[in-house]
Amino acid sequence: DADVTQTPRNRITKTGKRIMLECSQTKGHDRMYWYRQDPGLGLRLIYYSFDVKDINKGEISDGYSVSRQAQAKFSLSLESAIPNQTALYFCATSDFGTSGRNSYNEQFFGPGTRLTVL
Amino acid sequence: GENVEQHPSTLSVQEGDSAVIKCTYSDSASNYFPWYKQELGKRPQLIIDIRSNVGEKKDQRIAVTLNKTAKHFSLHITETQPEDSAVYFCAASSQGGKLIFGQGTELSVKP
């Protein structure tokens, strides 16, 4: 079955370290997203990409960067990790909308990466 | 900025009762409103969605209603079962085609 995968699934690191979280998908979707989930705060958008040449900041992009290496791959980097970046990180994908950029379809989430910054 | 508020944050019901979760959104240009269910330790999954040209949509025991004038939408679950216990998230599509999520509601269905 076509799926969204994330690596690693769990990571413990120290303050100041550089961390990369990877996302791959076999759904053939153009759109990819990175979210972080914190208790009581829901899912907050970090970055999103509508195609390989398109990268956009989300609600909480400070301290993060991304790279869209191919249609199927979207990586999230923390250049210098800090403790308040401890969270559950989800990658998601969706189809291109049927009526332009503002149209929307179902997002499919990866299994998540639990990151702990000590 | 764009915002989605979701209430309540926790909800406990007896098996067989109904559950209602409400969301309000700030961007009047929003045109797509999905609901996701996240079971413990799992990824969020879409359970139902509604577009702005429709006022209500139903799928078996779940339904969503939309009031564009008031900028609010609700999830209704009837005849709740223990397997409905999960965190539910509402969301609204905003300018640029991205989703803004609510804070989540932890639903507990007691047998």
Side-chain angles (χ1 to χ4, degrees):
Chain A
D1 285 343
D3 201 5
V4 183
T5 58
Q6 293 182 232
T7 56
R9 295 293 312 279
N10 289 281
R11 181 72 184 266
I12 299 174
T13 190
K14 294 182 178 180
T15 297
K17 294 292 187 181
R18 184 178 188 275
I19 297 296
M20 179 179 285
L21 309 183
E22 299 189 350
C23 177
S24 295
Q25 53 113 347
T26 56
K27 290 190 168 292
H29 291 167
D30 288 319
R31 298 180 172 185
M32 298 187 74
Y33 314 83
W34 275 105
Y35 295 92
R36 66 175 279 176
Q37 183 176 15
D38 300 276
L41 296 177
L43 293 155
R44 291 183 292 166
L45 184 63
I46 306 172
Y47 271 96
Y48 62 105
S49 170
F50 281 179
D51 62 46
V52 175
K53 298 180 180 178
D54 177 76
I55 301 289
N56 304 281
K57 292 182 178 181
E59 303 167 74
I60 52 163
S61 59
D62 287 349
Y64 301 94
S65 62
V66 291
S67 173
R68 184 82 185 265
Q69 301 95 324
Q71 186 208 34
K73 296 184 181 296
F74 193 36
S75 299
L76 176 72
S77 293
L78 288 68
E79 296 301 324
S80 180
I82 56 176
N84 77 359
Q85 291 178 313
T86 293
L88 182 57
Y89 290 83
F90 284 103
C91 173
T93 73
S94 72
D95 256 341
F96 186 76
T98 56
S99 59
R101 186 178 178 83
N102 287 331
S103 180
Y104 226 80
N105 290 319
E106 176 180 0
Q107 289 194 10
F108 295 86
F109 284 81
T113 294
R114 186 166 295 281
L115 176 66
T116 302
V117 183
L118 301 176
Chain B
E2 303 136 349
N3 190 44
V4 175
E5 294 288 334
Q6 181 172 348
H7 299 282
S9 57
T10 60
L11 179 60
S12 182
V13 300
Q14 289 296 131
E15 183 178 358
D17 288 350
S18 295
V20 180
I21 303 170
K22 298 181 178 182
C23 291
T24 59
Y25 60 98
S26 61
D27 186 354
S28 56
S30 295
N31 60 2
Y32 174 67
F33 308 90
W35 287 87
Y36 284 80
K37 175 183 180 182
Q38 185 181 28
E39 297 177 350
L40 188 62
K42 300 288 183 64
R43 67 189 81 183
Q45 291 190 303
L46 180 75
I47 55 170
I48 195 169
D49 58 12
I50 192 168
R51 298 187 187 274
S52 59
N53 58 348
V54 176
E56 183 174 359
K57 184 176 179 181
K58 190 173 182 179
D59 182 4
Q60 298 183 341
R61 295 187 297 108
I62 60 173
V64 58
T65 58
L66 172 65
N67 183 328
K68 286 214 71 178
T69 302
K71 291 191 286 188
H72 67 69
F73 56 112
S74 301
L75 177 71
H76 304 254
I77 306 174
T78 59
E79 301 173 16
T80 53
Q81 301 168 4
E83 52 264 39
D84 294 329
S85 296
V87 178
Y88 292 80
F89 293 99
C90 64
S93 71
S94 190
Q95 292 184 3
K98 60 184 186 291
L99 283 181
I100 302 297
F101 282 86
Q103 297 84 352
T105 297
E106 184 174 358
L107 173 64
S108 176
V109 180
K110 299 188 183 305

